[in-house]
Amino acid sequence: MVIALFSSRPLQAAEDKFWALSAYKIHVTLSVDASARPETNLTREVQSTIERRVQATLTPLWKLTIEPASLSQRELFKRQLPNFTWEDLSDELKAFDKLQTLSIVATNDGYLLRCREYDVYARRWGMPVERRVYQRSMLAEEAFQLLTEAFSPLATIEPVDDDDTRVELVFRGSRLPRRSGDINAVPLIAKDQVFLPVLRRTNRAGELLANGIVPIPWTYLVTDAPEGESCSATVFTGARRPFGSRRRGSVQKLAIGLRQPDASTDVRFYARHSKEQPLPGYEVFLRDAVKETSHPLGVTDAHGTVTVPPGEKPVSMLFLRSDGQLLAKIPVAPGVTPLLEAPIADDPVRLRATAEITEIREQLIDLVARRAIYMARIRARIKEDRIKDAEDIMAQLNDLPSRAFFDRAIKAAQRGSSSEDAQIQQRIDKLFSDTQTLLVKFLDSRPLTELQSELTAAKRG
């Protein structure tokens, strides 16, 4: 135990060093369909340009293997890019870190390029990317650029002491030799790049467990400007402590680079107990990460959906409110995904309880106002020595609903306000508890008793 205790830190350092010295083994399947513009050597030319560009700019970070697609693959990739699973891969392909499919289809007015990446290490598909090229001379270079655009860099996540809003990212290959004059340790890493944090669970042999890739919910990382071999990042999260307190041996905290086009994202809110129950008419506020101020974004539509446009920063915080209560705080990276679905701890029981409590409070406000008016009129009549009029108003004051009336109304509403969701029940109980506090504060019987004593004394006088 003593040996393990003192050797754990060097072991962790060794793992980080191995990670920082590991290159990406990338396999590219190149599919070229030039039937609309027949060319004999087009596939060879594109492949040669990509290999030359990778050698010049991305070596030794990338260890590249390119293979032309078969005839059946070319026919398939003309219609759609692949969508296989880990189990579908051969042992040869499983030995790679990244599998990229690059499809080039000649059209009447140019070329359509599409690319998609499968991360073998994280067993995750990236978003497909595509572009059109109208100049033949730019085709091979654009194909290389598309490969780098589809590429998702990987990093391990290290916490920053006493700061839950910051982390350090150790990128794969960050300590590999680099070209002379290159400031950044890792190519393809830039400021304000969005990363998705996940947990990668393995067994003692280092093999990924079934369902071993678990995204950390409602959390994004945004990079600062890379400096040398390190890069810090800001944490945007709706969770209290998304990364926990300490590193666990068989669980790796991994950050995966996300592609973020200049597009909006629809966020759909629905009740946690039923995905088929949307939350329409809820207030949505957006907090800008630059100005640190919130502004109304709108209300959810009939489907419980609101659209979040691109902002000045890659990630913004979204706040959902109903009846003045904050129900959710989630980060949104517009463009990363077309649709983001958010289950919210909310159901009709809370809404019904809120409506009943609101009605009770409105009655309470009306009663407090009427009591104040009656009491002022009674004191005015006493001062004018109109005792009989004061007694008539006092009778009207005594006929107003008492605290016991409101106690019964609250208990009746509370009996029908039971939710299976513990968080919802806590909110409902707080509604009733706060209303009972208001009763104690505004329906105190002592002012009425004192006023009756004043009236009795004036009558005797």
Side-chain angles (χ1 to χ4, degrees), residues 30-93:
L30 176 61
S31 173
V32 178
D33 182 356
S35 55
R37 297 183 174 197
E39 291 188 50
T40 305
N41 297 323
L42 183 57
T43 300
R44 187 181 307 170
E45 176 187 336
V46 173
Q47 178 176 344
S48 175
T49 300
I50 291 174
E51 290 173 340
R52 186 174 64 254
R53 295 287 283 119
V54 169
Q55 179 66 29
T57 60
L58 297 177
T59 300
L61 182 64
W62 279 24
K63 291 184 177 180
L64 183 68
T65 300
I66 301 182
E67 290 186 1
S70 64
L71 179 60
S72 60
Q73 286 177 322
R74 290 202 303 270
E75 290 299 320
L76 173 63
F77 298 158
K78 284 172 59 177
R79 301 185 299 272
Q80 62 181 16
L81 292 176
N83 191 26
F84 49 77
T85 63
W86 163 263
E87 289 75 16
D88 299 329
L89 297 178
S90 64
D91 292 338
E92 181 183 0
L93 291 179

Side-chain angles (χ1 to χ4, degrees), residues 333-357:
V336 165
T337 178
L339 177 64
L340 182 65
E341 294 193 303
I344 303 300
D346 197 29
D347 62 12
V349 176
R350 189 194 67 84
L351 297 177
R352 185 171 60 250
T354 301
E356 292 177 346
I357 284 297

Side-chain angles (χ1 to χ4, degrees), residues 349-369:
V349 176
R350 189 194 67 84
L351 297 177
R352 185 171 60 250
T354 301
E356 292 177 346
I357 284 297
T358 300
E359 183 179 356
I360 292 174
R361 289 184 178 182
E362 289 176 352
Q363 294 177 1
L364 175 60
I365 293 172
D366 178 69
L367 174 61
V368 172

